[in-house]
Amino acid sequence: DSGVTQTPKHLITATGQRVTLRCSPRSGDLSVYWYQQSLDQGLQFLIQYYNGEERAKGNILERFSAQQFPDLHSELNLSSLELGDSALYFCASSEEGGSTEAFFGQGTRLTVV
Amino acid sequence: DAKTTQPPSMDCAEGRAANLPCNHSTISGNEYVYWYRQIHSQGPQYIIHGLKNNETNEMASLIITEDRKSSTLILPHATLRDTAVYYCIVAYSGAGSYQLTFGKGTKLSVIP
């Protein structure tokens, strides 16, 4: 158990819909990272938040957004969903953003039908 | 794009040492080498990281060549539970930023 909690574990929704994925980082960790893993793209970095502020942005689509709340939990919002958005979405956290290891949650498997 | 090159797959006999190579010839002076692994579709798990010196922890050892252009992850006594995809990642650890770029990794199969 990494200490990072992601909910829900599984999500099935229709194209065009909007969903919210939730992540609770390890106690004391200030940074939260979101990754997408699909069969053809591998693990792709989406975005990082550090203590409530956006710190780094990767290959995140404009239809996707994220935020980190004062209690440090984070949400990833995915809208206007397409079939190609079906993937595993992982959240990770670390103490800071420096040379420390990141701890990954068990992921949310999103299926868009 | 990933800055590392790894063999796509390797086999290792149970109980033997697994040596996983990684080439990172374009690594810059302030970039670290990180190793993670992913068992089936679980979340990636941190293994070890280093800058220039060899490192060892309870899971593995990391050997980095003197020119830092390649490294080897060593699992001293592989078990069936070590079957996973192993990712070698080069990343700059600037203040507040920790962007890991995963490549395709090496699929390690531990054989009974």
Side-chain angles (χ1 to χ4, degrees), chain B residues 83-105:
Chain B
T83 292
V85 177
Y86 287 76
Y87 297 99
C88 169
I89 301 164
V90 163
Y92 167 65
S93 292
S97 180
Y98 187 87
Q99 184 170 336
L100 298 172
T101 301
F102 288 81
K104 295 189 185 302

Side-chain angles (χ1 to χ4, degrees), chain A residues 7-8 10-22 34 63-66 75-82 85-87 89 108-113:
Chain A
T7 55
H10 301 276
L11 195 51
I12 301 175
T13 189
T15 54
Q17 294 298 305
R18 172 189 170 94
V19 297
T20 298
L21 313 183
R22 182 186 169 101
W34 285 97
R63 300 183 286 109
F64 296 179
S65 65
E75 292 181 355
L76 179 67
N77 300 295
L78 314 176
S79 62
S80 303
L81 285 167
E82 303 174 359
D85 297 327
S86 295
Y89 290 85
T108 293
R109 182 175 292 279
L110 173 67
T111 303
V112 182
V113 298

Side-chain angles (χ1 to χ4, degrees), chain A residues 34-106:
Chain A
W34 285 97
Y35 285 81
Q36 178 192 56
Q37 186 172 34
S38 56
L39 281 175
D40 56 345
Q41 292 292 327
L43 271 159
Q44 299 281 315
F45 169 74
L46 296 179
I47 197 164
Q48 177 202 358
Y49 278 82
Y50 176 74
N51 204 20
E53 300 288 328
E54 182 183 305
R55 186 59 65 100
K57 211 171 211 181
N59 301 320
I60 188 166
L61 300 173
E62 286 191 11
R63 300 183 286 109
F64 296 179
S65 65
Q67 55 184 328
Q68 186 179 29
F69 294 88
D71 66 353
L72 300 177
H73 91 272
S74 178
E75 292 181 355
L76 179 67
N77 300 295
L78 314 176
S79 62
S80 303
L81 285 167
E82 303 174 359
L83 296 178
D85 297 327
S86 295
L88 270 168
Y89 290 85
F90 290 106
C91 167
S93 72
S94 67
E95 288 181 9
E96 303 174 358
S99 59
T100 58
E101 61 265 36
F103 295 85
F104 283 76
Q106 289 305 297

